[in-house]
Amino acid sequence: MRRLLILAPTTLTVLALAACGSTASASPSASATAGSDAISTAAVDAGSCGSTVAELAASAKKEGAINLIALPDTWANYKGVLASYTDIYGVKTTVANPDASSADEVTAITTLRGQAGQPEVVDVGPSFTSQLISQGYADTFKPSTWDQIPADLKDPNGKWVGAYYGLMSIGVNTTLVKDAPTTWADLLKPEYKGQVTLNGDPREAGAAFAAVMAASLANGGSFDDITPGIAYFAKLKAEGNLQTVDVTEANLLSGEVPIALDWTYNFPAVEKSMKDAGFDLTSTVPSDGVYASYYAQSVVTQAAHPCAAKAFVEHLTSDAGALAYLEGGAIPARYATLVKEGKVSADLAAKLPDAKTIAGITFPTQAQIDAAKAVLATQWGPQVADK
């Protein structure tokens, strides 16, 4: 499973992107016919690409291709998202290095700047949006649904939108763990010795960072104070419950990870594979510490296919893109609007946390995230990692 690294990209090795890419080409299908009807005639400021979504779509189709990065098929149903984009816009998508981190994405832009293979839209965690803007990599584009996107899920100047989000959750292999934990407090019980897996190092990985923040909220902390979360994981390790392997699909399928701490939208895609391997999987948002985070999408400056790039962001925030995210258990930015308009079916809603939990979601500010990262940098080692 893809993990969001929060290291500076200068610490990373340059990617051999061309060798790692996958391509999906446009092809006629039943959904393609329906997809043509999904192109809105709404006004949009896409510069030379058009002043309506229909004009933008025509410009994108003329370009015919787009270079993307870090979009695994199983992450928030990006397989379905990409398929619907191709059906609707007639644009061939190439995804380089699907499992790349957010830092890898920024490194790829830097390395391939102005070249044909440069990523043209990125999907990064909130800790990278400021960097994209400061380095001049984030272009300005406001999709036609801009006014329906909450203020904390978009840059006011149109440099990025957070098209989807999820919550930190506890995934449990109930074939191996008969009494599934549902709270952070539960995870401290002796019966879970050696079974709890944090998805990476919170100083480097976004999912792990989120888990520490959620544990902090469950233990008297706040967006401004992550230290109770660090103390919690120090105790979890001291009790012998925390193991150090990563949360990967392979480790889930082998049974090596009985209890995984990861995003809500990372579990639905592996449920069938788990069932085929003889395991049942369930996931729960712990009630004593609810933490959510989004991923942000930016059109990249100097894109080889700027109209296709803008059309992709338009698609992600449209009804078609939003419903595709919902299929994967991710919550689209325009969720409230979709619910109000009666577009979220019972089947789609069943893939998400309950409505009350979603309604209560708030996001930390960039300053709060940066401060928490700084505390982790100094305290995670001596309290947890080095013991």
Side-chain angles (χ1 to χ4, degrees):
M1 292 183 182
R2 169 190 172 191
R3 290 176 296 161
L4 160 67
L5 292 182
I6 51 181
L7 290 171
T10 53
T11 66
L12 301 172
T13 303
V14 173
L15 303 173
L17 293 174
C20 301
S22 62
T23 302
S25 59
S27 59
S29 65
S31 60
T33 303
S36 63
D37 297 330
I39 297 176
S40 169
T41 58
V44 65
D45 183 6
S48 61
C49 297
S51 58
T52 67
V53 176
E55 291 176 356
L56 172 61
S59 299
K61 186 174 183 179
K62 185 175 181 179
E63 291 178 346
I66 186 173
N67 300 311
L68 303 168
I69 186 173
L71 303 180
D73 284 351
T74 57
W75 181 285
N77 187 35
Y78 261 114
K79 182 177 182 178
V81 171
L82 294 174
S84 61
Y85 170 69
T86 294
D87 282 347
I88 293 170
Y89 288 90
V91 175
K92 181 179 71 174
T93 63
T94 300
V95 179
N97 198 12
D99 293 318
S101 69
S102 294
D104 292 338
E105 295 183 64
V106 179
T107 297
I109 297 172
T110 303
T111 304
L112 300 173
R113 192 70 174 142
Q115 299 180 37
Q118 174 192 287
E120 299 178 278
V121 177
V122 291
D123 182 272
V124 298
S127 62
F128 281 87
T129 55
S130 295
Q131 181 181 354
L132 287 171
I133 294 170
S134 66
Q135 293 184 212
Y137 293 162
D139 206 347
T140 299
F141 176 66
K142 295 181 179 181
S144 65
T145 53
W146 182 259
D147 290 343
Q148 297 174 13
I149 299 173
D152 51 4
L153 292 175
K154 62 187 178 184
D155 172 64
N157 297 314
K159 297 294 186 180
W160 58 265
V161 296
Y164 68 97
Y165 56 97
L167 294 97
M168 183 48 48
S169 62
I170 303 173
V172 182
N173 182 329
T174 54
T175 304
L176 300 178
V177 182
K178 300 302 180 183
D179 185 14
T182 59
T183 66
W184 295 101
D186 285 345
L187 293 175
L188 291 167
K189 295 178 180 179
E191 64 194 88
Y192 304 125
K193 189 173 293 294
Q195 296 184 340
V196 184
T197 305
L198 184 64
N199 194 3
D201 186 318
R203 296 168 294 185
E204 302 173 358
F209 174 87
V212 180
M213 285 292 281
S216 181
L217 297 176
N219 288 276
S222 66
F223 289 159
D224 294 310
D225 183 12
I226 197 173
T227 55
I230 299 173
Y232 169 88
F233 277 98
K235 185 175 182 180
L236 195 69
K237 185 173 183 179
E239 295 292 335
N241 291 15
L242 183 65
Q243 61 172 346
T244 57
V245 300
D246 286 336
V247 177
T248 65
E249 184 174 0
N251 287 342
L252 286 167
L253 294 177
S254 70
E256 188 176 2
V257 176
I259 302 172
L261 306 178
D262 209 346
W263 298 116
T264 45
Y265 52 72
N266 275 343
F267 294 117
V270 299
E271 283 189 56
K272 184 181 184 301
S273 297
M274 292 284 286
K275 179 71 71 174
D276 292 343
F279 298 124
D280 290 323
L281 176 69
T282 186
S283 63
T284 305
V285 175
S287 58
D288 53 347
V290 178
Y291 183 82
S293 187
Y294 57 87
Y295 276 74
Q297 296 72 43
S298 290
V299 173
V300 180
T301 54
Q302 298 184 23
H305 308 99
C307 300
K310 291 176 181 178
F312 187 65
V313 174
E314 174 67 32
H315 176 65
L316 297 182
T317 56
S318 71
D319 284 3
L323 293 174
Y325 277 138
L326 281 167
E327 285 284 353
I331 306 169
R334 296 174 50 244
Y335 183 69
T337 297
L338 294 173
V339 170
K340 183 178 180 180
E341 295 178 350
K343 295 175 180 177
V344 180
S345 68
D347 287 344
L348 289 176
K351 298 175 184 288
L352 305 177
D354 64 85
K356 183 178 179 181
T357 298
I358 294 175
I361 288 175
T362 58
F363 300 101
T365 65
Q366 187 61 52
Q368 289 170 322
I369 292 172
D370 291 343
K373 285 165 55 179
V375 173
L376 275 168
T378 60
Q379 295 190 25
W380 185 259
Q383 291 196 44
V384 184
D386 300 336
K387 290 190 175 182

